Amino acid sequence: HQPMMVPPMASVGRVRPDADGPASSPMAAAAATASQPAGAEDEAGGTAGSRARGGARRLRLWSHIYLHMQVAGFDLVPRLIGRGGCNMRRIADQTSAKIRIRGRGSGHFEIEGEHEAPTPLMVAVTTDKGDQDAFRLAIAMTLQELRNVEVRFHVHCQKQNIVHEGPCYSIGLLPEHGKEILADIIEGVPMSMLPSRNR
């Protein structure tokens, strides 16, 4: 058989369930909200519940990491978040970061509880701006989980005779000075060419 060609950043829509449970189950919701801050996060990393007294918005450090390992038969989101969301919850517990998997194919219905956000599939990581060490650790741990999934993804593609073109994940939106804060951690990780806003 000829290898199946998959273009970069291809999307096959909803992720199917595997042994860890469906991406659209409460497990996905647990991973999508695997940390402390309440409220719906906006594209700049702020939350409706992150306003200090007097109405001032708490400053945040944030990053979007776009996910491109979407091919038929590979359950990306369940593999990434782990059983019951344990992988993302571990990062949140160790760093106090807010870790969410959102966008098309996430199974996380954040628009009126019925629709996924109309954004590319991503991991969104958010911490308080004053805690750069926690932000760096959260990104490093997230990237390590992605590297682990990437190994399994390449095995899947080999078995299914699928040729995947382009990166498996890429750094998207970052705040001002974000690149400087994460310079050594994201070295060698592709930077996404996706638009800066996808709302």
Side-chain angles (χ1 to χ4, degrees):
H1 297 289
Q2 292 296 320
M4 181 186 302
M5 300 297 292
V6 179
M9 304 180 188
S11 173
V12 293
R14 294 289 303 280
V15 177
R16 293 175 21 225
D18 67 359
D20 291 336
S24 57
S25 72
M27 176 187 68
T33 58
S35 67
Q36 293 72 29
E41 183 181 33
D42 63 23
E43 290 295 321
T47 69
S50 65
R51 297 182 183 278
R53 291 180 181 178
R57 185 184 296 275
R58 288 169 56 188
L59 298 179
R60 300 284 191 182
L61 287 170
W62 48 271
S63 175
H64 292 170
I65 304 174
Y66 292 107
L67 309 178
H68 312 307
M69 295 176 279
Q70 293 174 274
V71 300
F74 186 74
D75 298 314
L76 172 58
V77 173
R79 291 177 186 272
L80 178 58
I81 66 179
R83 186 175 297 277
C86 63
N87 294 340
M88 300 296 99
R89 195 172 304 281
R90 181 176 64 254
I91 299 172
D93 289 344
Q94 292 188 28
T95 66
S96 296
K98 181 174 184 177
I99 314 291
R100 294 198 303 156
I101 298 180
R102 63 189 300 258
R104 293 184 290 269
S106 66
H108 176 43
F109 302 140
E110 57 187 282
I111 300 178
E112 299 179 351
E114 297 180 355
H115 304 285
E116 298 167 335
T119 68
L121 184 63
M122 70 174 76
V123 181
V125 181
T126 308
T127 67
D128 285 332
K129 189 169 186 178
D131 198 347
Q132 292 187 9
D133 289 341
F135 181 58
R136 285 169 50 82
L137 180 58
I139 295 298
M141 293 179 71
T142 301
L143 290 174
Q144 184 56 57
E145 290 298 336
L146 284 168
R147 293 183 188 104
N148 295 340
V149 172
E150 183 179 11
V151 172
R152 300 169 73 180
F153 175 71
H154 287 309
V155 170
H156 172 82
C157 288
Q158 285 184 330
K159 288 182 177 179
Q160 299 300 318
N161 206 27
I162 296 172
V163 177
H164 179 265
E165 298 179 344
C168 289
Y169 50 88
S170 59
I171 303 295
L173 291 175
L174 286 170
E176 185 179 6
H177 306 307
K179 287 185 179 180
E180 290 82 354
I181 294 170
L182 299 172
D184 57 322
I185 293 173
I186 64 175
E187 183 178 1
V189 180
M191 301 299 293
S192 178
M193 300 304 293
L194 290 167
S196 59
R197 301 289 179 185
N198 294 282
R199 294 188 72 81

